[in-house]
Amino acid sequence: MGIEEKVPSGFLLSTVEVAAGYARKGSLWPATFGLACCAIEMMTTVSGRFDIARFGMEAFRASPRQADLMIVAGRVSQKMAPVLRQVYDQMVEPKWVLAMGVCASSGGMFNNYAIVQGVDHVVPVDIYLPGCPPRPEMLLHAILMLHEKIQQMPLGVNRDEVIRETEKAALASPTTLELKGLLR
Ligand code: SF4
């Protein structure tokens, strides 16, 4: 008797890693944390028109201990940086950070002493989303890309180290070096 007759409805093979990645990416709960104008676009993703609930993510949590995604939506002031770090530290592991908009990613047009020039100075960032402000569709796209990243992430990996290595490789890339040469 062939295996098809023994198990007529078939069976599925997978690994714990793939199952864990699938579960993690499908159950992200963002922290309720908006800093400036970008936060309005973030809030809009919850509306019926954009419907972040399609990805099971409409439950923005008021408590960091119930959240595993920090969407840094807006510019980070020097005064706010320690608060942001505290919220991040209180979030459960594994956790992820999305820098939304140019201000959160690099300080944007606020090149001054009051604004942190990129939230990666305060917390490790998994994904950067450009734009001022990025539209809700762009945020949803970035979230889907983050889902892919989470799915690919091996179990037990040191996320901070992966981010550090990626940043090091990006800084050493010919494009970055060329840009630095042009800027000099
Ligand atoms: S990127 Fe633009 S919309 Fe977002 S916080 Fe900065 S100024 Fe506001």
Side-chain angles (χ1 to χ4, degrees):
M1 191 186 273
I3 188 116
E4 292 85 3
E5 287 132 43
K6 280 191 179 158
V7 192
S9 51
F11 57 89
L12 186 67
L13 288 178
S14 187
T15 60
V16 173
E17 213 156 62
V18 170
Y22 187 76
R24 282 176 175 175
K25 78 171 185 185
S27 60
L28 280 183
W29 279 0
T32 305
F33 195 72
L35 292 170
C37 6
C38 272
I40 305 296
E41 304 295 318
M42 178 180 70
M43 287 178 238
T44 312
T45 56
V46 185
S47 69
R49 183 163 175 193
F50 299 101
D51 200 13
I52 201 174
R54 287 175 290 162
F55 310 107
M57 293 177 62
E58 74 279 20
F60 277 68
R61 309 310 295 171
S63 165
R65 71 192 169 86
Q66 296 167 349
D68 52 4
L69 172 64
M70 174 182 269
I71 302 174
V72 184
R75 53 194 168 269
V76 184
S77 65
Q78 298 287 357
K79 218 172 174 183
M80 196 63 186
V83 180
L84 185 143
R85 180 68 209 200
Q86 188 171 357
V87 171
Y88 173 81
D89 285 338
Q90 287 173 342
M91 283 165 58
V92 288
E93 291 278 3
K95 54 192 165 190
W96 295 275
V97 176
L98 190 159
M100 181 180 180
V102 285
C103 291
S105 301
S106 66
M109 63 294 283
F110 299 99
N111 186 7
N112 61 44
Y113 64 87
I115 300 296
V116 176
Q117 299 299 295
V119 72
D120 57 322
H121 290 286
V122 186
V123 291
V125 176
D126 294 275
I127 190 156
Y128 295 88
L129 171 59
C132 174
R135 281 190 50 81
E137 294 96 331
M138 292 171 71
L139 177 59
L140 288 174
H141 181 64
I143 286 171
L144 290 182
M145 291 186 78
L146 179 63
H147 281 183
E148 280 307 305
K149 197 173 172 183
I150 293 171
Q151 178 73 70
Q152 308 296 334
M153 197 172 272
L155 280 183
V157 75
N158 183 330
R159 174 177 151 266
D160 289 13
E161 216 163 85
V162 172
I163 291 175
R164 264 200 304 276
E165 288 303 315
T166 315
E167 282 172 357
K168 219 189 285 171
L171 284 175
S173 83
T175 322
T176 315
L177 294 176
E178 203 177 308
L179 277 172
K180 276 186 182 167
L182 284 176
L183 290 174
R184 234 176 261 138

